[in-house]
């Protein structure tokens, strides 16, 4: 365990990734070790410690993530216009770009591997999965990579407050049996909750959706929260997307619906959750 934790801070991506897989294996070993620790709750406590470490890695800042959009594109600077024909500066800048691009991709793969391992251990929709009992804290994490929790089952608390999803996010068919908090989360990629089931409260107040948001066939056993009037924390939806890209028609068996209302921007009508706001993502003040 100690060695694996040390590996997570290693400069080499391959060693960090090795630490991830070691920790994943240790969680499984703790949960299965009935001989050493007969009490399942005690084994889960040990496993939770490791889950906390993996979540902490996901939450840890990675500076190049702020430039992901630029680094995901090809190098565009020009020798003559940007460097006055200085070949050495041009070559050095191009090498630096390539190195940062590679570092971003390496880190992206490590973090996606953590999410992938979590999803595979949570992927048992109707029954308790090995890792479903754990709590997951992703507060203020920056998901600069595709985040896939399709058909995952969460029986512990799930915290995404203040998280940033700058790539697509998929919770299709996921099941949340405890409280789930997306307060202040920002979705600049597609956000799908289609077919998800929430049996605890679901808090989306203060969240910001810049692109496609899909809540079709979702079921709620508690009233979904998109606004907190006393704090004026309202979910916000971009006026730049096509109105049909917002879908809030929950399942007919849902105990609670998402109450919606029509709002208009520059003559375009949108159907969004009641009490929430439209916003312009191109406006610097937003």
């Amino acid at each position: 365990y100690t060695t694996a934790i040390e590996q997570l801070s290693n400069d080499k991506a391959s060693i960090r990734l090795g630490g991830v897989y070691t920790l994943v294996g240790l969680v499984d070993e703790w949960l299965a070790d009935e001989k050493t620790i007969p009490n399942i709750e005690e084994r889960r406590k040990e496993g939770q410690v490791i889950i906390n470490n993996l979540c902490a890695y996901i939450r840890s800042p990675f500076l190049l993530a702020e430039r992901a959009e630029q680094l995901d594109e090809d190098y565009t600077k020009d020798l003559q216009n940007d460097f006055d024909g200085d070949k050495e500066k041009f070559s050095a800048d191009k090498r630096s770009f390539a190195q940062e691009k590679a570092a971003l991709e390496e880190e992206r793969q490590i973090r996606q591997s953590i999410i992938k391992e979590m999803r595979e251990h949570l992927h048992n929709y109707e029954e308790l999965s090995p890792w479903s009992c754990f709590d997951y804290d992703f507060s203020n994490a920056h998901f600069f990579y595709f985040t896939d929790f399709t058909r995952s089952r969460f029986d512990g608390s799930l915290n995404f407050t203040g998280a940033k999803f700058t790539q697509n996010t998929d919770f299709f068919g996921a099941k949340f049996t405890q409280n789930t908090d997306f307060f202040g989360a920002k979705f600049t990629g597609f956000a799908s909750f289609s077919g998800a089931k929430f049996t605890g409260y679901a808090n989306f107040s203060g969240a910001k959706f810049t692109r496609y948001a899909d809540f079709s066939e979702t079921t709620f056993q508690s009233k979904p929260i998109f606004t907190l009037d006393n704090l004026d924390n309202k979910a916000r939806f971009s006026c730049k997307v096509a109105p049909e890209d917002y879908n809030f028609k929950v399942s007919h068996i849902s105990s609670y619906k998402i109450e919606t209302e029509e709002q208009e921007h520059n003559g375009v009508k949108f159907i969004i959750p009641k009490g929430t706001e439209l916003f312009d993502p191109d406006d610097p003040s937003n």
Side-chain angles (χ1 to χ4, degrees):
Y1 168 77
T2 303
T3 301
I5 293 299
E6 292 175 351
Q7 288 177 326
L8 291 184
S9 59
N10 194 281
D11 291 338
K12 293 184 177 180
S14 59
I15 295 178
R16 297 199 300 276
L17 186 59
V20 167
Y21 288 128
T22 298
L23 291 174
V24 168
L26 285 173
V27 177
D28 292 335
E29 288 182 21
W30 275 116
L31 292 177
D33 192 4
E34 298 179 10
K35 185 175 181 180
T36 305
I37 306 179
N39 189 315
I40 181 61
E41 292 303 322
E42 290 298 321
R43 299 203 301 275
R44 287 173 178 169
K45 286 181 182 179
E46 298 292 345
Q48 182 69 63
V49 172
I50 300 176
I51 294 296
N52 292 345
N53 280 294
L54 293 173
C55 288
Y57 190 95
I58 293 293
R59 295 196 309 271
S60 64
F62 184 66
L63 295 180
L64 291 179
E66 302 301 326
R67 296 175 51 214
E69 186 174 353
Q70 174 197 2
L71 291 171
D72 284 338
E73 300 295 331
D74 294 330
Y75 185 76
T76 58
K77 291 185 180 180
D78 181 79
L79 172 61
Q80 297 301 328
N81 295 332
D82 295 297
F83 297 94
D84 296 325
D86 190 323
K87 292 183 179 180
E88 288 188 6
K89 287 185 178 180
F90 172 74
S91 298
D93 190 74
K94 194 172 184 178
R95 284 196 303 271
S96 176
F97 179 88
Q99 291 168 354
E100 291 177 339
K101 187 183 185 74
L104 175 69
E105 186 56 30
E106 286 178 343
E107 186 64 20
R108 178 177 278 155
Q109 290 179 7
I110 292 170
R111 297 185 184 218
Q112 280 188 309
S113 294
I114 294 175
I115 298 300
K116 180 176 180 290
E117 289 295 329
M118 288 180 173
R119 177 189 172 273
E120 289 180 351
H121 285 81
L122 293 163
H123 187 70
N124 190 344
Y125 187 71
E126 295 301 333
E127 299 178 7
L128 185 66
S129 303
W131 289 21
S132 294
C133 58
F134 296 129
D135 298 325
Y136 294 86
D137 182 4
F138 298 114
S139 57
N140 300 308
H142 184 178
F143 294 91
F144 53 97
Y145 41 87
F146 173 54
T147 306
D148 179 11
F149 279 115
T150 55
R151 297 191 180 278
S152 297
R153 174 168 173 154
F154 297 93
D155 290 288
S157 65
L158 187 59
N159 185 2
F160 284 103
T161 59
K164 290 197 303 182
F165 298 88
T166 52
Q167 298 290 330
N168 295 344
T169 309
D170 199 347
F171 287 96
F172 171 81
K175 189 170 186 177
F176 309 88
T177 66
Q178 300 297 321
N179 297 336
T180 307
D181 203 339
F182 287 93
F183 177 84
K186 296 180 181 179
F187 299 88
T188 57
F190 291 178
S192 175
F193 293 89
S194 177
K197 290 185 177 181
F198 294 87
T199 57
Y201 79 73
N203 188 348
F204 293 94
S205 58
K208 183 185 290 187
F209 296 84
T210 305
R211 298 183 70 184
Y212 175 98
D214 185 9
F215 287 83
S216 62
E217 298 303 314
T218 305
T219 60
F220 296 95
Q221 290 189 15
S222 297
K223 183 178 180 179
I225 302 170
F226 283 87
T227 181
L228 294 174
D229 293 333
N230 59 330
L231 297 176
D232 196 32
N233 285 312
K234 302 176 180 180
R236 308 175 75 199
F237 296 86
S238 171
C239 64
K240 294 294 186 178
V241 305
E244 59 269 21
D245 283 346
Y246 292 142
N247 190 338
F248 302 100
K249 295 180 180 179
V250 302
S251 171
H252 68 281
I253 64 172
S254 179
S255 300
Y256 289 86
K257 310 300 182 186
I258 298 178
E259 296 182 12
T260 59
E261 63 183 3
E262 183 178 276
Q263 293 192 29
E264 186 174 319
H265 179 82
N266 290 340
V268 181
K269 295 180 179 180
F270 296 83
I271 302 296
I272 59 177
K274 190 174 182 179
T276 63
E277 296 179 344
L278 288 171
F279 79 101
D280 184 350
D282 297 329
D283 185 341
S285 64
N286 290 319

